[in-house]
Amino acid sequence: MLTVDFTRFPLAPGDRVLDLGCGAGRHAFECYRRGARVVALDRNAEEIREVATWFAAMKEAGEAPAGATATAMEGDALNLPFPDESFDVVIISEVMEHIPDDKGVLAEMVRVLKPGGRIAVTVPRYGPEKVCWALSDAYHEVEGGHIRIYKADELLARIREAGLRPYGTHHAHALHSPYWWLKCAFGVDNDKALPVRAYHKLLVWDIMKKPLATRLAEQALNPVMGKSFVAYATKPHLPATDAK
């Protein structure tokens, strides 16, 4: 299940991509399949080991084209272990709402992004997220949980302040909003509640089968109740200076 829309966020074979806070690796895997040279970075050692295992399995199965590379590594989003201007593309998906110093994270992403490079940022959308917070304290009052809810204009302002130029936005995963509302209403750790189990089965079926009816329904509902807000931006080239 991808949050970034690669028809709006084009990726070329050979692009060097950083998936920052990669989690289980869903975007890193897609970039690898598209021929990129991918670095998946996260502070969670267990998830990084799992991502590395999947990268190896994908290579063995021939899922990535020739020239594509993939590395999984532990790291700190506020102190990235890369030189300036190392990447053509940076993706940070459902991460910034967890980090107190979100401006510091944006600054590090801009530092490692090449001029002309592209960045995709996704966060929980304000409206659906407010419902989750209202229904359940346990949803967000946990170690490493969500510490803020972004309004779209607030996130875009932060992106601009970091020196990036936004060029597009959209919403995603409308069908997932009711699932999280149910989880919050019945208990975020209560997977046995019948409405939660039933809706989860629907989501799994939808992800596996991708039926046209639910694809069209989600497309229509995304502007209204999409669970995620997605923003795309570029790092401008520095103006040319006259030779002395």
Side-chain angles (χ1 to χ4, degrees):
M1 183 186 74
L2 299 174
T3 307
V4 172
D5 181 352
F6 287 94
T7 66
R8 310 182 197 215
F9 189 66
L11 196 66
D15 276 352
R16 191 145 195 256
V17 177
L18 173 62
D19 186 1
L20 181 55
C22 64
R26 57 201 173 103
H27 289 106
F29 300 149
E30 181 64 19
C31 294
Y32 189 32
R33 290 188 186 98
R34 289 171 178 261
R37 295 173 293 156
V38 184
V39 176
L41 183 144
D42 201 284
R43 69 177 185 175
N44 186 311
E46 184 176 342
E47 287 196 309
I48 284 298
R49 285 193 294 271
E50 187 69 16
V51 169
T53 298
W54 278 104
F55 277 151
M58 291 171 68
K59 182 177 181 180
E60 182 69 21
E63 289 189 37
T69 63
T71 303
M73 62 185 295
E74 289 183 66
D76 181 358
L78 289 164
N79 186 23
L80 294 173
F82 310 112
D84 296 354
E85 301 179 4
S86 299
F87 293 94
D88 303 291
V89 173
V90 177
I91 296 171
I92 185 165
S93 182
E94 311 299 302
V95 173
M96 287 181 57
E97 67 275 9
H98 296 272
I99 300 177
D101 186 8
D102 58 344
K103 291 183 179 181
V105 171
L106 276 169
E108 273 292 87
M109 289 190 289
V110 171
R111 180 184 70 78
V112 302
L113 186 64
K114 295 177 181 179
R118 304 173 304 287
I119 187 168
V121 181
T122 93
V123 296
R125 186 184 186 175
Y126 183 82
E129 186 77 347
K130 285 285 282 187
V131 174
C132 289
W133 282 45
L135 289 171
S136 171
D137 290 337
Y139 172 79
H140 63 97
E141 291 182 356
V142 295
E143 184 178 355
H146 298 185
I147 62 171
R148 71 174 65 83
I149 307 175
Y150 289 101
K151 291 183 177 179
D153 56 353
E154 292 172 343
L155 179 62
L156 291 171
R158 276 178 169 74
I159 289 171
R160 291 188 182 99
E161 289 167 5
L164 298 165
R165 292 179 181 169
Y167 69 83
T169 65
H170 64 91
H171 300 97
H173 309 317
L175 295 182
H176 288 250
S177 290
Y179 172 72
W180 283 103
W181 297 338
L182 288 169
K183 287 271 288 181
C184 290
F186 286 92
V188 290
D189 295 321
N190 179 11
D191 293 326
K192 296 182 179 179
L194 180 59
V196 175
R197 287 192 291 116
Y199 203 97
H200 183 262
K201 288 181 68 174
L202 170 66
L203 290 179
V204 171
W205 172 78
D206 176 59
I207 291 169
M208 298 300 294
K209 300 296 185 181
K210 297 181 175 63
L212 179 60
T214 55
R215 296 300 87 219
L216 292 175
E218 184 159 75
Q219 185 177 351
L221 290 170
N222 274 338
V224 180
M225 52 186 273
K227 183 74 170 65
S228 295
F229 173 70
V230 188
Y232 305 110
T234 59
K235 180 177 177 178
H237 290 277
L238 292 175
T241 57
D242 294 333
K244 297 292 186 181

